[in-house]
Amino acid sequence: DVCSSDLPAAAPGSAIDGYETAFNQQQHVNYLDTNGHVHELYYSGSWKHNDLTAMTGAPAAALGSAIDGYDTTFNNQQHINFMDANGHVHELYYDNAWHHNDLTALAGAPPAARGSALDAYQTGFNNQQHVNFVDVNGHVHELYYTNAWHHNDLTALAGAPAAVGGTAMDGYATTFTNQQHINFMDAGGHVHE
């Protein structure tokens, strides 16, 4: 069991994210400490704690990094995404042990803009994972996994306007149409999909 006095405090302004894993009926809450370590609090009969950065040897998250966690039901895994000081998007994932991937390097993607939002989700209809971010030019990018990590510049592909710096972002799949949707805002305050 975790005693709050045993836990590293969250960094001031730390992002926080929570999700459930239905395959093992657990709750998960993630945050960043002042050293950029990603921490997981999870409930399995009682609350427990993991320092995922220490467990995986992952690099520290950048100060002010977004964080996003989700589960993939098609393979019963957990995934937590964050950005390092160089704008690389990283993944910590659990498949009976915690591991680390530098998704930017694996997909050959450009770095994320400092302070970019992150959003991640699964598409069950094709058993894929998706991680979205914004680059320094305001382009929305997608990292997606189909037996290897790949990259798409969604702004260029869709002919969309640039996202405003610091935009919130939200991505999701619609199961009734087998579609993917990503929402963001432009400099004029318009919401785009």
Side-chain angles (χ1 to χ4, degrees):
D1 292 346
V2 176
C3 174
S4 62
S5 63
D6 298 335
L7 294 175
S14 170
I16 190 167
D17 186 68
Y19 62 97
E20 74 161 326
T21 48
F23 62 86
N24 59 4
Q25 298 177 341
Q26 291 181 353
Q27 299 165 243
H28 304 268
V29 178
N30 304 302
Y31 69 93
L32 303 174
D33 72 15
T34 56
N35 295 316
H37 282 217
V38 177
H39 292 270
E40 172 193 44
L41 303 173
Y42 67 99
Y43 188 81
S44 177
S46 62
W47 284 99
K48 297 177 175 50
H49 166 257
N50 285 322
D51 179 335
L52 300 180
T53 301
M55 292 174 75
T56 62
L63 180 65
S65 172
I67 189 169
D68 192 54
Y70 64 103
D71 75 328
T72 46
T73 56
F74 56 85
N75 60 4
N76 293 341
Q77 291 183 353
Q78 298 166 231
H79 305 268
I80 302 166
N81 302 106
F82 67 92
M83 290 173 292
D84 71 16
N86 296 317
H88 280 221
V89 176
H90 294 266
E91 170 191 49
L92 304 172
Y93 70 97
Y94 183 82
D95 64 355
N96 296 317
W98 282 100
H99 308 279
H100 163 256
N101 280 325
D102 180 335
L103 301 185
T104 300
L106 290 172
R114 184 181 178 121
S116 171
L118 277 177
D119 187 68
Y121 61 96
Q122 76 163 355
T123 47
F125 59 85
N126 59 3
N127 295 341
Q128 290 182 353
Q129 299 160 234
H130 304 268
V131 181
N132 304 301
F133 67 92
V134 177
D135 73 11
V136 296
N137 297 312
H139 283 217
V140 175
H141 293 266
E142 170 192 45
L143 304 172
Y144 67 98
Y145 185 80
T146 57
N147 298 320
W149 282 98
H150 305 280
H151 163 255
N152 281 324
D153 180 335
L154 299 180
T155 300
L157 289 172
V164 67
T167 184
M169 188 177 348
D170 187 52
Y172 60 96
T174 50
T175 56
F176 59 90
T177 56
N178 292 344
Q179 292 180 346
Q180 299 166 231
H181 304 265
I182 301 164
N183 304 301
F184 66 93
M185 290 178 282
D186 70 15
H190 289 219
V191 176
H192 294 268
E193 173 191 42

